[in-house]
Amino acid sequence: ILSFTGIMSFTATTSQTITTNGIIITGPLQFNGVAGVWQNQDAFTSTNTVTLIRGTWDCSLATTKVAGFVSSSGFARVWALGNTLFEVTSSTGAVIGTPTGQTVTTGGSSKIKFSGVTGATPFSAQSFTYDDVEFSGGNSTLTMGQGHFRDLLVTNPGTGTLTLSGTPFFRN
């Protein structure tokens, strides 16, 4: 466990790789670099929020597990999912900001999974195209927005309710 509690900021203007070797990151993390690219080389786990401000976070090679994910800066940024699992585990959820400057790429079989998330707005999808979204447990409002999705899977919804708002489009 990397128990640094301050904000860890990755800044770059070129391609970089991230290898955690099983270390869990506990403090907030941000990616911020014009033309910077950060690619996870192995399983990536953070028990805090990860924020993509500028650049590309490429999660396409390995499973990524975060407490929350925010990408709403308005600057040029890419969230590359490939064909992997991206899991969100807290009420921070995943907030994808306005389409201004944002790109989401998938490989056709990626999955965004919300595990036991409670609270408001765990997923603000905006108008991007995603593969699968799974909601497992919790009591929350799932804001799908204008997003395009292949599948939405709801498993073990818990004792609460799952409310879909917005006008999502499902391909299957």
Side-chain angles (χ1 to χ4, degrees):
I1 293 179
L2 177 60
S3 59
F4 177 73
T5 57
I7 296 173
M8 184 183 310
S9 184
F10 288 3
T11 57
T13 55
T14 60
S15 293
Q16 305 295 316
T17 59
I18 300 170
T19 304
T20 61
N21 287 323
I23 293 173
I24 298 169
I25 299 168
T26 61
L29 174 67
Q30 63 184 19
F31 296 100
N32 187 4
V34 176
V37 176
W38 298 271
Q39 185 179 56
N40 297 350
Q41 299 295 299
D42 60 356
F44 180 96
T45 301
S46 171
T47 58
N48 212 308
T49 299
V50 176
T51 304
L52 176 60
I53 298 171
R54 288 185 181 97
T56 298
W57 187 21
D58 184 349
C59 306
S60 66
L61 296 180
T63 297
T64 301
K65 187 174 186 177
V66 298
F69 175 65
V70 177
S71 178
S72 60
S73 68
F75 297 112
R77 60 211 185 282
V78 176
W79 182 29
L81 296 171
N83 291 313
T84 61
L85 172 65
F86 189 94
E87 186 171 2
V88 179
T89 61
S90 86
S91 59
T92 303
V95 178
I96 312 303
T98 60
T100 305
Q102 173 77 34
T103 303
V104 176
T105 63
T106 67
S109 63
S110 64
K111 180 189 285 187
I112 301 169
K113 180 179 181 179
F114 296 92
S115 301
V117 174
T118 60
T121 317
F123 188 38
S124 178
Q126 297 299 329
S127 60
F128 300 105
T129 299
Y130 302 91
D131 295 327
D132 299 340
V133 174
E134 180 179 346
F135 183 82
S136 177
N139 175 15
S140 193
T141 300
L142 189 57
T143 305
M144 303 299 277
Q146 300 287 331
H148 287 232
F149 305 89
R150 184 176 60 201
D151 287 312
L152 172 64
L153 176 63
V154 179
T155 58
N156 187 24
T159 59
T161 60
L162 173 67
T163 304
L164 298 180
S165 61
T167 53
F169 174 77
F170 295 95
R171 298 189 303 271
N172 279 348

